[in-house]
Amino acid sequence: MSTELKTLQYDTNDIVSFSKELNEPEWLTDFRTHAYELVQTLPLPRTEKTRIIGWNFTDFNYKTSGTEVSSLNDLPSEAAKVVGAEDQYAAILVQHNGHKAYVSVTKELQDKGVIITDLQTAIREHGDLVKKYYFKAGKVDKHRLSALNAAILNSGTFIYIPKNVVIEKPLQTVYFQDAENFGLINHSILVADQGSALTYVENYVSDHETIEGVANLLTEVYVEDNAQVKFGAVDYFSKDVTVYVNRQGQVGRYGQLEWAFGQMNDGNTVSENVTELVGEGAVSHTKAVSIGRGDQKQNFDNYIVHIGTNTESNILIHGVQKDQAQAIFNGRTKIEHGASKSNGDQTQRVLMLSEGARGDANPILLIDEDDVMAGHAASVGRIDPVQLYYLMSRGISRSEAERLIIHGFLEPVVEQLQIESVKAQLTAAIERKVR
């Protein structure tokens, strides 16, 4: 089967020139050119049961401009919808079409050595630290789209929390895209050093009226020994934005990583979430909800690898499919040989609201160790006609009845999310998609 992409609109000279325009160090320029060579040879991701040949991953402009603002009140309305009240966050970073638009970091965090800034600034001011973590969890040679992220990088964030620093209020980043035919090629890195703790909220949103484009997003999260990270993300790109999103996590000894995802894109989407439980006693829980509508196609892959002993994981996914939407939900739990006394569990449930909708749930357990516990559950079904009839018999319209059923189906997952601001954002996003 062919895996050809559309002809790239740039070559090695363009990439080197772009890197020089950004005053990047030689190591990053070399990294870009090496990645570009990989783009020519690597295959696309393997997305079982989802045909992504012909999707637009490469036809975009990678250079554009953004607008810097002095106040959150000056943000475009689409971006403002996902930005919380400034006093609710310890730091807020907003990027517009890949450019820093607004940043606010409390003096307390700065005094403690916390770094939260756009990636280009971090490369200039903290280059050695960025280089230490850049593409260490996310593999540049994994497939063609990961290599493309490294080659055409034009946006990103770097966050570093020093040892034993505990941040009570959340940190938030917002990426807003409204340039026509723009490719947001974003790479973000979050490092929680030993004994630190934080809550982080990441939002992607595009103008839902006119925008076409591409989003290639890669986030690396490093949870060092005894650190705790609560990571929340709500993605809401418009119908004509093709999205590839890859979030990678590594968890050290007795570290804890909580993922909370609201996958609300309206366009075709490939999503990969991989967590490696490296240290003894490492823990990771993944909770996600999604809604597909129109004729969009989505492929979600949640993968947790147990490497250390006494590690624990749980995957909980609820998805809703409307209209002609199609989605694949793959959940994979792997317990490596030597990861004794580990426990991995997963549950995936899919609800289809129309005859043309389709959703597949595929739980997979890969066990190479005897002294472990592992389990999975999956269900795929259509809306209960009795439930729908009951609501409509009470004078509720069919569309309103479906809206209530969707909220009820997703609520068990939404309620378990540990980040209140993500709960609020997700509830609003769900309402926008079902109305």
Side-chain angles (χ1 to χ4, degrees):
M1 181 173 62
S2 171
T3 59
E4 290 185 1
L5 290 174
K6 293 182 179 179
T7 302
L8 298 176
Q9 303 300 311
Y10 27 81
D11 57 23
T12 302
N13 292 332
D14 294 322
I15 290 172
V16 172
S17 176
F18 183 51
S19 185
K20 289 182 177 179
E21 287 177 22
L22 298 173
N23 294 315
E24 292 178 342
E26 184 177 356
W27 71 264
L28 187 52
T29 304
D30 292 343
F31 203 104
R32 284 182 181 271
T33 55
H34 170 64
Y36 182 76
E37 293 173 0
L38 294 174
V39 171
Q40 316 303 312
T41 59
L42 290 174
L44 286 169
R46 291 188 60 185
T47 51
E48 296 182 14
K49 299 183 181 180
T50 303
R51 182 176 173 81
I52 64 175
I53 304 303
W55 289 19
N56 176 27
F57 292 111
T58 58
D59 186 10
F60 56 80
N61 299 321
Y62 64 94
K63 294 182 183 180
T64 190
S65 60
T67 302
E68 190 164 357
V69 299
S70 58
S71 168
L72 291 177
N73 296 327
D74 298 326
L75 291 174
S77 60
E78 289 287 345
K81 289 177 183 177
V82 298
V83 176
E86 192 159 4
D87 60 359
Q88 294 179 353
Y89 293 88
I92 294 179
L93 173 63
V94 181
Q95 299 193 43
H96 179 213
N97 294 331
H99 297 267
K100 181 171 63 177
Y102 180 84
V103 61
S104 174
V105 183
T106 64
K107 186 176 185 303
E108 179 184 3
L109 290 191
Q110 295 179 46
D111 291 343
K112 291 180 178 179
V114 172
I115 302 169
I116 174 169
T117 186
D118 64 285
L119 187 58
Q120 285 299 326
T121 298
I123 291 168
R124 290 193 302 270
E125 299 180 359
H126 312 282
D128 290 343
L129 195 56
V130 173
K131 185 178 180 181
K132 177 181 177 180
Y133 292 100
Y134 188 68
F135 266 107
K136 293 301 187 292
K139 305 302 182 185
V140 67
D141 58 355
K142 184 175 184 180
H143 49 61
R144 198 172 298 184
L145 298 185
S146 59
L148 187 66
N149 183 279
I152 317 295
L153 172 72
N154 62 10
S155 173
T157 295
F158 184 78
I159 299 173
Y160 175 76
I161 314 301
K163 290 181 181 179
N164 301 318
V165 172
V166 177
I167 303 175
E168 299 296 337
K169 291 183 177 182
L171 313 179
Q172 182 183 31
T173 59
V174 176
Y175 305 90
F176 176 59
Q177 178 175 345
D178 65 357
E180 189 63 38
N181 198 35
F182 176 57
L184 178 66
I185 314 301
N186 191 84
H187 192 123
S188 295
I189 300 171
L190 189 159
V191 181
D193 215 331
Q194 296 178 16
S196 65
L198 76 149
T199 297
Y200 174 68
V201 181
E202 179 177 85
N203 302 101
Y204 291 94
V205 63
S206 63
D207 188 321
H208 273 62
E209 297 300 323
T210 60
I211 292 305
E212 297 182 11
V214 174
N216 183 315
L217 320 171
L218 197 152
T219 299
E220 301 182 80
V221 179
Y222 299 92
V223 183
E224 303 292 358
D225 295 352
N226 298 298
Q228 296 183 17
V229 174
K230 297 178 182 178
F231 186 109
V234 179
D235 305 334
Y236 198 31
F237 284 102
S238 57
K239 181 179 183 298
D240 295 316
V241 177
T242 304
V243 179
Y244 165 68
V245 56
N246 182 351
R247 293 183 172 105
Q248 304 270 339
Q250 285 188 354
V251 187
R253 190 169 182 267
Y254 295 107
Q256 184 165 338
L257 174 56
E258 301 280 344
W259 298 106
F261 300 137
Q263 297 159 327
M264 296 292 137
N265 297 327
D266 275 338
N268 292 341
T269 300
V270 174
S271 175
E272 299 179 288
N273 177 224
V274 182
T275 307
E276 295 180 338
L277 302 176
V278 179
E280 177 187 2
V283 175
S284 182
H285 297 156
T286 302
K287 299 179 177 69
V289 299
S290 70
I291 299 177
R293 65 179 178 181
D295 60 355
Q296 75 177 132
K297 295 177 176 60
Q298 300 183 92
N299 189 288
F300 302 106
D301 188 12
N302 292 284
Y303 184 25
I304 296 183
V305 185
H306 294 252
I307 300 172
T309 59
N310 291 287
T311 50
E312 175 188 318
S313 73
N314 179 267
I315 299 173
L316 176 61
I317 310 294
H318 278 204
V320 174
Q321 298 299 103
K322 299 178 59 181
D323 308 321
Q324 306 297 313
Q326 299 179 23
I328 304 298
F329 299 86
N330 294 318
R332 293 183 291 156
T333 302
K334 183 174 185 181
I335 301 180
E336 298 280 12
H337 179 65
S340 60
K341 302 189 185 307
S342 292
N343 185 358
D345 192 54
Q346 56 173 286
T347 301
Q348 299 182 87
R349 305 200 184 280
V350 183
L351 177 66
M352 295 175 288
L353 273 71
S354 63
E355 289 298 322
R358 178 175 177 177
D360 288 352
N362 304 306
I364 301 169
L365 298 178
L366 304 168
I367 312 299
D368 291 333
E369 180 61 49
D370 294 330
D371 186 15
V372 300
M373 295 179 62
H376 64 72
S379 67
V380 177
R382 300 197 178 277
I383 193 169
D384 186 346
V386 175
Q387 189 179 36
L388 187 61
Y389 174 79
Y390 175 82
L391 291 172
M392 293 177 66
S393 70
R394 297 304 190 265
I396 299 174
S397 67
R398 183 183 183 90
S399 60
E400 178 65 12
E402 289 185 352
R403 187 186 73 84
L404 293 173
I405 291 171
I406 292 172
H407 276 288
F409 179 75
L410 299 179
E411 184 63 20
V413 182
V414 175
E415 262 309 304
Q416 290 191 40
L417 302 183
Q418 297 189 25
I419 306 174
E420 291 301 322
S421 58
V422 171
K423 280 188 186 181
Q425 288 180 12
L426 192 48
T427 300
I430 291 170
E431 186 62 26
R432 291 173 71 180
K433 289 207 72 169
V434 303
R435 66 186 178 195

